[in-house]
Amino acid sequence: MEQILVTGGTGFLGYHIVNEAIGQCYAVKAIVRKHSDVSFLSQLDCHIIYGDITSKQDVTEAVKGCHYVIHCAAKTSQTGKLNEFIPVNVTSIQLIIEACHHFNVKRLVYISSANSFTNGTKINPGTEDSGFMPWLQKSGYAMSKHMAQNMLQKACNDKNIDAVIVAPTFMIGAYDVKPSSGKLLLQGLKRIALYPPGGKCFVSVTNVANATVNALKKGKSGEAYLLAGINLTYGEFFRIVGKNSSKKQILIKVPGLILKLAGLIGDLLISMGNDVSYNSLNIRLLMLSNYFSNHKAKKELGLKDTEINSSVQDAIDWFTENNYI
């Protein structure tokens, strides 16, 4: 059995990648931080090791003996300055590139972000050729992922490494422990659900995991692939959530002007030294019609179509079983 190192295995996508890789008959080694909650990951047939992906020694030891690496770990907070994201999101990819080169790893698959590309409309969704949105340079998360992606593509061009970049859109499914994207679904389960203008490209997390593992042997080195699903407005998504939960809903669309004012207030509070989770940048991101195409990933990585109702139902069932609801 060929061995894969997976970083970020305790995360929402990381757990599904480990599970998918095992299902595709790979031996999986997962590196996690000390004191991480491995209660779900430990139920899978994988070897768990503890280490720091910003430590050269830990990364080198983890990559040693592996045929492939899937780098999923990241700092994903939507607030914070760029320097707060550099160690986990940028330094780690440099260390992994060096280790993969040293040990002649067959391929590295890097989990980037759809924020590294420009969104489109439902009629003309964003593609891998759309480029980075300059205004997102102010986002520590988006900018750090963009920097890491550029670093990896340069390493591929210099023939130092064989690597593929995958960029998931907004993932839906079970095992969202923290939760991350599941926060939006939980909001949609409330009796009164407030939603903003705009929308997202919703994708099944199991489909993302499947295409990511496929990328170990499919796709072209140095290429990026948007792992996208179905483009929906927030209102359309919340109606699907309500239908699958069989709960009566009152849906209220929040005017964009009110959200923009909230963002400005957040900016003011942050400038005064307060720890606030919203600002003008986040509000702008929230209100985007964040729509993307999956044509390239379907053709080259075998990305499956997202069945949104089953993905939503999987998430609802899991949240219910684990007392989130």
Side-chain angles (χ1 to χ4, degrees):
M1 295 176 70
E2 293 180 304
Q3 186 169 71
I4 303 173
L5 172 69
V6 177
T7 71
T10 58
F12 180 36
L13 176 57
Y15 169 87
H16 286 278
I17 288 173
V18 171
N19 192 44
E20 175 67 26
I22 293 168
Q24 290 196 31
C25 297
Y26 290 98
V28 180
K29 177 165 61 172
I31 181 171
V32 304
R33 293 172 296 178
K34 292 180 180 178
H35 311 302
S36 293
D37 180 359
V38 295
S39 54
F40 288 106
L41 186 63
S42 62
Q43 296 174 22
L44 302 178
D45 185 19
C46 70
H47 176 51
I48 298 173
I49 62 173
Y50 293 91
D52 182 352
I53 60 170
T54 67
S55 162
K56 183 173 183 177
Q57 180 179 347
D58 288 356
V59 169
T60 301
E61 188 62 31
V63 173
K64 184 179 180 180
C66 292
H67 300 89
Y68 303 96
V69 175
I70 297 177
H71 183 33
C72 186
K75 178 179 172 65
T76 59
S77 170
Q78 293 301 315
T79 59
K81 296 180 180 179
L82 177 60
N83 63 354
E84 299 173 35
F85 292 83
I86 293 297
V88 174
N89 291 1
V90 182
T91 302
S92 66
I93 191 66
Q94 181 62 51
L95 295 176
I96 289 171
I97 288 170
E98 292 171 0
C100 287
H101 178 69
H102 178 75
F103 292 114
N104 295 313
V105 167
K106 291 182 179 180
R107 173 165 281 185
L108 163 64
V109 176
Y110 171 61
I111 311 298
S112 185
S113 166
N115 285 337
S116 292
F117 306 92
T118 298
N119 63 298
T121 64
K122 285 189 177 184
I123 296 175
N124 293 302
T127 70
E128 293 82 357
D129 298 323
S130 59
F132 183 66
M133 293 182 280
W135 60 273
L136 278 179
Q137 292 179 18
K138 297 179 180 179
S139 165
Y141 169 69
M143 188 61 191
S144 65
K145 297 295 281 187
H146 177 60
M147 290 169 64
Q149 181 171 305
N150 286 345
M151 184 182 296
L152 185 56
Q153 287 180 314
K154 183 179 185 305
C156 292
N157 292 336
D158 293 343
K159 307 299 182 183
N160 290 332
I161 193 172
D162 183 299
V164 164
I165 297 159
V166 295
T169 56
F170 198 80
M171 296 177 288
I172 297 294
Y175 292 93
D176 193 357
V177 175
K178 292 208 171 170
S180 52
S181 57
K183 289 179 181 177
L184 183 66
L185 186 143
L186 292 172
Q187 171 67 22
L189 289 171
K190 293 181 178 180
R191 179 73 177 88
I192 300 176
L194 305 177
Y195 67 94
K200 290 186 179 295
C201 183
F202 297 89
V203 64
S204 161
V205 68
T206 56
N207 289 359
V208 170
N210 175 259
T212 299
V213 177
N214 290 349
L216 294 171
K217 295 182 178 177
K218 293 184 177 182
K220 300 173 184 176
S221 180
E223 291 287 311
Y225 297 87
L226 279 161
L227 303 186
I230 180 170
N231 295 311
L232 298 170
T233 66
Y234 289 110
E236 289 170 337
F237 176 70
F238 277 9
R239 290 183 186 92
I240 291 171
V241 171
K243 178 181 176 182
N244 281 275
S245 66
S246 300
K247 289 186 176 182
K248 292 183 179 180
Q249 293 175 303
I250 298 176
L251 299 181
I252 300 175
K253 184 176 182 178
V254 181
L257 179 59
I258 291 177
L259 292 170
K260 290 178 181 178
L261 289 173
L264 292 173
I265 292 171
D267 293 343
L268 178 61
L269 293 172
I270 291 170
S271 70
M272 296 169 63
N274 295 285
D275 185 13
V276 178
S277 61
Y278 58 92
N279 55 36
S280 294
L281 181 68
N282 292 344
I283 294 298
R284 183 174 178 181
L285 272 169
L286 179 67
M287 293 170 56
L288 278 181
S289 294
N290 230 5
Y291 303 141
F292 293 97
S293 168
N294 59 15
H295 177 75
K296 183 178 177 182
K298 287 179 67 175
K299 181 180 179 181
E300 298 187 32
L301 300 184
L303 176 66
K304 300 174 184 177
D305 288 325
T306 288
E307 212 307 302
I308 190 63
N309 285 294
S310 62
S311 297
V312 167
Q313 192 63 60
D314 286 345
I316 291 173
D317 290 345
W318 189 84
F319 282 131
T320 301
E321 290 167 7
N322 290 275
N323 302 314
Y324 287 78
I325 300 172

